[in-house]
Amino acid sequence: MYWLGGGSGGGKSTVARRLAERFGLRVYATDDVMGDHAARSSRAEAPYLAAFAAMSMDERWVERSPEVMLETFHWFRGEAFGLIVEDLRALPADSRVVVEGFRLLPRLVAPLLADPSRAVWLLPTPAFRAAAFEGRGSAGDISSRTGDPERAERNLRERDRLFTDRLAEETRRLGLRSVVVDPGVAEDTLVERVARGFGL
Protein backbone atom coordinates (compact mmCIF):
# COMPACT_ATOMS: atom_id res chain seq x y z
CA MET A 1 0.00 0.00 0.00
CA TYR A 2 1.07 3.56 -0.75
CA TRP A 3 -0.85 6.15 1.29
CA LEU A 4 -1.45 9.64 -0.13
CA GLY A 5 -3.29 11.94 2.24
CA GLY A 6 -3.56 15.69 2.59
CA GLY A 7 -5.75 18.76 2.67
CA SER A 8 -8.68 19.36 0.36
CA GLY A 9 -7.71 20.69 -3.07
CA GLY A 10 -4.10 19.55 -2.73
CA GLY A 11 -3.93 17.40 -5.87
CA LYS A 12 -4.19 13.97 -4.25
CA SER A 13 -6.50 12.45 -6.86
CA THR A 14 -4.47 13.76 -9.78
CA VAL A 15 -1.17 12.57 -8.34
CA ALA A 16 -2.60 9.16 -7.42
CA ARG A 17 -4.02 8.67 -10.91
CA ARG A 18 -0.75 9.59 -12.58
CA LEU A 19 1.28 7.35 -10.28
CA ALA A 20 -1.12 4.49 -10.98
CA GLU A 21 -0.75 4.94 -14.73
CA ARG A 22 3.03 5.19 -14.54
CA PHE A 23 3.77 2.39 -12.09
CA GLY A 24 0.89 0.00 -12.65
CA LEU A 25 -0.84 0.67 -9.35
CA ARG A 26 -4.48 0.34 -8.45
CA VAL A 27 -6.18 3.47 -7.02
CA TYR A 28 -8.40 3.27 -3.96
CA ALA A 29 -10.04 6.70 -3.63
CA THR A 30 -11.54 7.20 -0.19
CA ASP A 31 -13.85 9.94 -1.51
CA ASP A 32 -15.52 7.40 -3.78
CA VAL A 33 -16.59 5.17 -0.91
CA MET A 34 -17.86 7.82 1.50
CA GLY A 35 -21.49 7.10 0.64
CA ASP A 36 -21.00 3.37 1.06
CA HIS A 37 -19.15 3.83 4.35
CA ALA A 38 -21.83 6.18 5.67
CA ALA A 39 -24.48 3.58 4.86
CA ARG A 40 -22.45 0.86 6.61
CA SER A 41 -21.95 2.92 9.79
CA SER A 42 -24.38 2.89 12.67
CA ARG A 43 -25.20 5.92 14.80
CA ALA A 44 -23.26 4.34 17.69
CA GLU A 45 -20.21 3.78 15.49
CA ALA A 46 -20.30 7.21 13.85
CA PRO A 47 -22.13 9.74 16.06
CA TYR A 48 -20.62 12.78 14.34
CA LEU A 49 -21.71 11.45 10.94
CA ALA A 50 -25.24 10.93 12.27
CA ALA A 51 -25.36 14.46 13.65
CA PHE A 52 -24.04 15.91 10.39
CA ALA A 53 -26.60 13.99 8.32
CA ALA A 54 -29.42 15.46 10.42
CA MET A 55 -28.33 19.07 9.79
CA SER A 56 -29.59 21.46 7.14
CA MET A 57 -27.08 22.98 4.72
CA ASP A 58 -27.10 26.24 6.68
CA GLU A 59 -26.52 24.40 9.94
CA ARG A 60 -23.57 22.62 8.38
CA TRP A 61 -21.84 25.46 6.60
CA VAL A 62 -23.23 28.86 7.68
CA GLU A 63 -24.31 28.84 11.31
CA ARG A 64 -21.23 27.23 12.87
CA SER A 65 -17.71 28.61 13.15
CA PRO A 66 -14.89 27.04 11.11
CA GLU A 67 -13.35 25.83 14.36
CA VAL A 68 -16.53 23.95 15.33
CA MET A 69 -16.86 22.64 11.79
CA LEU A 70 -13.33 21.25 12.02
CA GLU A 71 -13.80 19.59 15.39
CA THR A 72 -17.15 17.99 14.56
CA PHE A 73 -16.69 16.89 10.93
CA HIS A 74 -17.01 13.12 11.00
CA TRP A 75 -14.32 12.26 8.47
CA PHE A 76 -11.86 14.58 10.24
CA ARG A 77 -12.64 12.67 13.43
CA GLY A 78 -11.64 9.42 11.74
CA GLU A 79 -15.12 7.90 11.76
CA ALA A 80 -15.43 4.85 9.46
CA PHE A 81 -11.66 4.69 8.93
CA GLY A 82 -11.90 1.03 9.90
CA LEU A 83 -14.04 0.45 6.81
CA ILE A 84 -11.21 1.74 4.63
CA VAL A 85 -8.92 -0.83 6.20
CA GLU A 86 -11.58 -3.50 5.79
CA ASP A 87 -11.93 -2.70 2.08
CA LEU A 88 -8.18 -2.82 1.54
CA ARG A 89 -7.82 -6.15 3.33
CA ALA A 90 -10.44 -7.59 0.97
CA LEU A 91 -8.27 -6.85 -2.08
CA PRO A 92 -6.12 -9.61 -3.59
CA ALA A 93 -2.96 -10.15 -1.55
CA ASP A 94 -0.71 -9.23 -4.48
CA SER A 95 -2.42 -5.88 -5.13
CA ARG A 96 -0.20 -2.80 -5.39
CA VAL A 97 -2.45 0.07 -4.34
CA VAL A 98 -2.19 3.81 -3.92
CA VAL A 99 -4.76 4.83 -1.32
CA GLU A 100 -5.72 8.50 -1.54
CA GLY A 101 -7.94 10.98 0.22
CA PHE A 102 -8.27 13.52 3.00
CA ARG A 103 -9.69 10.80 5.29
CA LEU A 104 -6.18 9.35 5.70
CA LEU A 105 -5.36 10.99 9.01
CA PRO A 106 -1.68 10.57 9.95
CA ARG A 107 -2.43 9.24 13.45
CA LEU A 108 -4.62 6.51 11.94
CA VAL A 109 -2.32 5.56 9.08
CA ALA A 110 0.91 5.53 11.13
CA PRO A 111 0.19 2.24 12.97
CA LEU A 112 -0.41 0.51 9.61
CA LEU A 113 2.96 1.46 8.14
CA ALA A 114 5.69 -1.17 8.01
CA ASP A 115 7.74 1.45 6.16
CA PRO A 116 7.09 5.17 6.87
CA SER A 117 8.23 6.07 3.34
CA ARG A 118 5.03 4.49 1.99
CA ALA A 119 2.99 7.50 3.16
CA VAL A 120 2.99 11.14 1.99
CA TRP A 121 0.65 14.02 2.86
CA LEU A 122 0.10 16.94 0.49
CA LEU A 123 -0.33 20.26 2.30
CA PRO A 124 -1.85 22.86 -0.05
CA THR A 125 -1.37 26.52 0.72
CA PRO A 126 -4.55 28.65 0.85
CA ALA A 127 -3.62 30.16 -2.53
CA PHE A 128 -3.24 26.75 -4.16
CA ARG A 129 -6.48 25.49 -2.62
CA ALA A 130 -8.39 28.56 -3.81
CA ALA A 131 -7.09 28.13 -7.37
CA ALA A 132 -7.96 24.41 -7.33
CA PHE A 133 -11.54 24.98 -6.19
CA GLU A 134 -12.07 27.86 -8.62
CA GLY A 135 -10.98 25.54 -11.39
CA ARG A 136 -13.34 22.71 -10.48
CA GLY A 137 -16.11 24.49 -8.57
CA SER A 138 -16.26 22.00 -5.68
CA ALA A 139 -16.61 24.44 -2.81
CA GLY A 140 -19.10 26.52 -4.77
CA ASP A 141 -21.32 23.47 -5.22
CA ILE A 142 -21.71 23.33 -1.45
CA SER A 143 -21.98 27.04 -0.66
CA SER A 144 -24.50 27.75 -3.43
CA ARG A 145 -26.99 25.45 -1.68
CA THR A 146 -26.97 27.55 1.50
CA GLY A 147 -28.82 30.73 2.44
CA ASP A 148 -25.54 32.69 2.61
CA PRO A 149 -23.12 31.37 -0.03
CA GLU A 150 -20.46 33.98 0.70
CA ARG A 151 -20.27 33.14 4.39
CA ALA A 152 -20.40 29.41 3.69
CA GLU A 153 -17.50 29.78 1.28
CA ARG A 154 -15.44 31.69 3.86
CA ASN A 155 -16.23 29.10 6.52
CA LEU A 156 -15.27 26.20 4.26
CA ARG A 157 -11.98 27.76 3.22
CA GLU A 158 -11.04 28.56 6.81
CA ARG A 159 -12.03 25.10 8.01
CA ASP A 160 -9.89 23.52 5.30
CA ARG A 161 -6.96 25.78 6.21
CA LEU A 162 -7.25 24.71 9.84
CA PHE A 163 -7.41 21.06 8.77
CA THR A 164 -4.27 21.41 6.65
CA ASP A 165 -2.48 23.07 9.57
CA ARG A 166 -3.49 20.14 11.74
CA LEU A 167 -2.14 17.66 9.20
CA ALA A 168 1.14 19.58 9.09
CA GLU A 169 1.46 19.42 12.87
CA GLU A 170 0.49 15.76 13.04
CA THR A 171 2.88 14.59 10.31
CA ARG A 172 5.69 16.58 11.94
CA ARG A 173 4.96 15.09 15.37
CA LEU A 174 4.81 11.54 14.01
CA GLY A 175 7.87 11.92 11.77
CA LEU A 176 5.91 11.33 8.57
CA ARG A 177 6.60 12.87 5.18
CA SER A 178 4.66 15.87 3.89
CA VAL A 179 4.93 18.08 0.82
CA VAL A 180 3.80 21.71 0.76
CA VAL A 181 1.88 22.45 -2.44
CA ASP A 182 1.75 26.04 -3.65
CA PRO A 183 0.80 27.62 -7.00
CA GLY A 184 4.43 27.60 -8.11
CA VAL A 185 4.63 23.79 -8.02
CA ALA A 186 4.07 22.23 -11.44
CA GLU A 187 2.00 19.06 -11.59
CA ASP A 188 4.89 17.04 -13.03
CA THR A 189 7.15 18.23 -10.21
CA LEU A 190 4.60 17.27 -7.58
CA VAL A 191 4.19 13.79 -9.07
CA GLU A 192 7.97 13.32 -9.08
CA ARG A 193 8.28 14.42 -5.46
CA VAL A 194 5.64 11.96 -4.33
CA ALA A 195 7.09 9.15 -6.45
CA ARG A 196 10.52 9.73 -4.92
CA GLY A 197 8.99 9.89 -1.46
CA PHE A 198 7.39 6.48 -2.05
CA GLY A 199 10.64 5.08 -3.43
CA LEU A 200 9.02 4.28 -6.79
Side-chain angles (χ1 to χ4, degrees):
M1 300 295 167
Y2 298 91
W3 304 82
L4 183 60
S8 298
K12 299 178 296 299
S13 298
T14 298
V15 172
R17 184 182 68 251
R18 290 192 53 184
L19 290 176
E21 292 170 352
R22 181 173 168 185
F23 296 103
L25 305 174
R26 176 176 184 163
V27 176
Y28 176 93
T30 61
D31 282 12
D32 292 349
V33 293
M34 287 192 293
D36 174 62
H37 288 179
R40 290 162 62 188
S41 299
S42 69
R43 179 179 292 272
E45 294 168 327
Y48 287 95
L49 170 59
F52 183 83
M55 293 179 191
S56 69
M57 290 297 287
D58 280 7
E59 287 171 329
R60 292 175 182 176
W61 311 115
V62 176
E63 298 171 6
R64 303 183 301 157
S65 70
E67 291 78 12
V68 170
M69 291 163 63
L70 174 70
E71 295 300 333
T72 60
F73 190 51
H74 43 288
W75 305 132
F76 293 172
R77 303 283 305 190
E79 289 187 343
F81 182 80
L83 295 178
I84 294 174
V85 177
E86 186 178 308
D87 289 349
L88 295 173
R89 285 178 174 161
L91 296 176
D94 60 351
S95 296
R96 298 176 69 238
V97 184
V98 56
V99 186
E100 68 90 3
F102 70 86
R103 295 172 60 192
L104 304 181
L105 307 181
R107 68 182 182 276
L108 300 180
V109 173
L112 305 176
L113 296 173
D115 180 352
S117 72
R118 293 291 182 91
V120 175
W121 278 263
L122 303 182
L123 307 177
T125 63
F128 185 91
R129 190 181 308 111
F133 283 139
E134 284 167 10
R136 70 189 191 197
S138 300
D141 288 345
I142 293 173
S143 59
S144 65
R145 290 184 281 141
T146 70
D148 189 341
E150 187 176 326
R151 183 174 179 181
E153 186 80 14
R154 287 198 308 269
N155 284 344
L156 274 163
R157 293 196 181 203
E158 177 61 8
R159 183 208 64 168
D160 286 348
R161 184 192 69 78
L162 292 169
F163 178 60
T164 301
D165 288 350
R166 177 172 291 180
L167 292 177
E169 186 281 327
E170 202 167 290
T171 52
R172 186 165 50 246
R173 175 168 52 81
L174 295 171
L176 298 170
R177 186 185 303 270
S178 64
V179 175
V180 175
V181 186
D182 61 41
V185 177
E187 184 179 297
D188 287 347
T189 301
L190 184 58
V191 172
E192 287 299 324
R193 287 182 184 175
V194 175
R196 286 198 304 270
F198 284 155
L200 291 170

